[in-house]
């Protein structure tokens, strides 16, 4: 099962800006929106970015997203301790009959 | 506000069929697509499949031969069945929902609490 490629870990100190990358292909990120989920271990995922760079209501504007070609990124500025979590990118893949595909996840540690 | 409450057997033997149910509260059943996502211990998310507005189903190609997702609109519930489980199917299983639309593709935005399924 192919997945979107993310770095396994990222870290930063409070107040810093961190960026998490997500690499895909023409059948997923290259032709469809990218979404980002935040998951605190032991809880259900929470959508923090939709349509490449839009924030759902209630998500701080410290979170931003971008897409370029077959890659995407999530940036978190003004890092806070409560941002420590696993982050997953996701996209629809047009191959076969179409299906949702997730990245392998990035564990963000706030030092 | 969409609320999802899921339940089902948490311990299976190899070759048995996994069976989970999810009840929907707070929204019209016909306004959403209903699906399942799983997460093996310490690993990432994997989409299993969903039942769509036209009441068809769409499954992950890697699981398609063993998965069935069905719904009971009279009870506002939907179900997941996974045949012939092995240790590789051990995971937390989440029921999930995304808005239905004829022209836009919405992301999964609502999740159940998760059910840990072990295979031993």
């Amino acid at each position: 099962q192919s997945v979107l490629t993310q770095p396994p870990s990222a870290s930063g100190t409070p107040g810093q800006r961190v960026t998490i990358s997500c690499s895909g292909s023409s059948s997923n990120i290259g032709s469809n929106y990218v979404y980002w989920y935040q998951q605190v271990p032991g809880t259900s995922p929470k959508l923090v970015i939709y349509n490449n760079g839009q924030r759902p209501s209630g998500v701080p504007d410290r979170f931003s997203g971008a897409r370029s070609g077959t890659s995407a990124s999530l940036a978190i500025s003004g890092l806070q301790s409560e941002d420590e979590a696993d982050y997953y990118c996701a996209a629809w893949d047009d191959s076969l009959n179409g299906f949702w595909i997730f990245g392998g996840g990035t564990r963000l540690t706030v030092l | 506000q969409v609320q999802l409450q899921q339940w089902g057997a948490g311990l299976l033997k190899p070759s048995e069929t996994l069976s989970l149910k999810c009840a929907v509260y707070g929204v019209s059943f016909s306004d959403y697509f209903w699906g399942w996502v799983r997460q093996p211990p310490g690993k990432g998310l994997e989409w299993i499949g969903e039942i769509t507005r036209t009441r068809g189903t769409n499954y992950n190609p890697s699981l398609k031969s063993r998965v069935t997702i069905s719904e009971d609109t009279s009870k506002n519930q939907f179900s997941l069945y996974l045949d012939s489980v092995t240790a590789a199917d051990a995971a937390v299983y989440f029921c999930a929902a995304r808005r239905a639309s004829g022209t836009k593709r919405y992301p999964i935005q609502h999740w159940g609490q998760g059910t840990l399924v072990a295979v031993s």
Side-chain angles (χ1 to χ4, degrees):
Chain A
Q1 168 70 60
S2 60
V3 298
L4 304 175
T5 301
Q6 299 180 233
S9 63
S11 63
T13 57
Q16 273 191 330
R17 172 185 169 94
V18 295
T19 302
I20 297 171
S21 63
C22 175
S23 177
S25 68
S26 58
S27 64
N28 42 68
I29 294 178
S31 52
N32 294 293
Y33 286 128
V34 178
Y35 309 92
W36 289 90
Y37 293 89
Q38 176 193 63
Q39 185 184 33
V40 175
T43 70
S44 303
K46 171 189 173 185
L47 184 70
V48 293
I49 292 290
Y50 68 97
N51 293 7
N52 301 331
Q54 302 299 308
R55 287 184 308 278
S57 174
V59 174
D61 60 5
R62 303 184 293 103
F63 289 80
S64 62
R67 181 189 72 172
S68 178
T70 58
S71 295
S73 61
L74 171 71
I76 309 172
S77 59
L79 198 62
Q80 300 182 5
S81 58
E82 58 259 38
D83 299 330
E84 186 161 289
D86 296 321
Y87 291 85
Y88 295 91
C89 57
W92 180 260
D93 193 297
D94 289 328
S95 59
L96 302 173
N97 288 327
F99 56 97
W100 288 102
I101 190 168
F102 288 93
T106 298
R107 171 66 58 90
L108 175 62
T109 302
V110 180
L111 301 170
Chain B
Q1 179 69 358
V2 181
Q3 293 185 29
L4 303 176
Q5 183 72 33
Q6 60 182 101
W7 69 96
L11 179 61
L12 298 173
K13 293 181 170 57
S15 81
E16 290 186 334
T17 296
L18 179 154
S19 174
L20 298 174
K21 291 189 182 296
C22 187
V24 177
Y25 302 97
V27 293
S28 171
F29 202 74
S30 62
D31 287 343
Y32 285 79
F33 295 172
W34 309 103
W36 295 88
V37 175
R38 71 180 184 178
Q39 184 172 35
K43 296 188 178 180
L45 302 168
E46 181 180 32
W47 182 75
I48 298 171
E50 66 187 7
I51 189 161
T52 71
R53 190 172 191 180
T54 58
R55 300 309 165 218
T57 50
N58 192 14
Y59 299 130
N60 188 318
S62 68
L63 297 169
K64 186 174 183 177
S65 63
R66 297 193 292 131
V67 172
T68 302
I69 296 175
S70 62
E71 62 177 14
D72 185 340
T73 55
S74 68
K75 295 182 178 180
N76 272 17
Q77 294 177 7
F78 61 103
S79 300
L80 169 69
Y81 302 96
L82 180 66
D83 297 329
S84 304
V85 298
T86 69
D89 295 311
V92 174
Y93 286 75
F94 295 97
C95 59
R98 63 187 186 97
R99 288 194 64 89
S101 169
T103 55
K104 292 179 63 175
R105 184 178 297 120
Y106 288 91
I108 296 171
Q109 200 163 358
H110 307 283
W111 302 75
Q113 78 276 19
T115 299
L116 177 61
V117 175
V119 180
S120 178

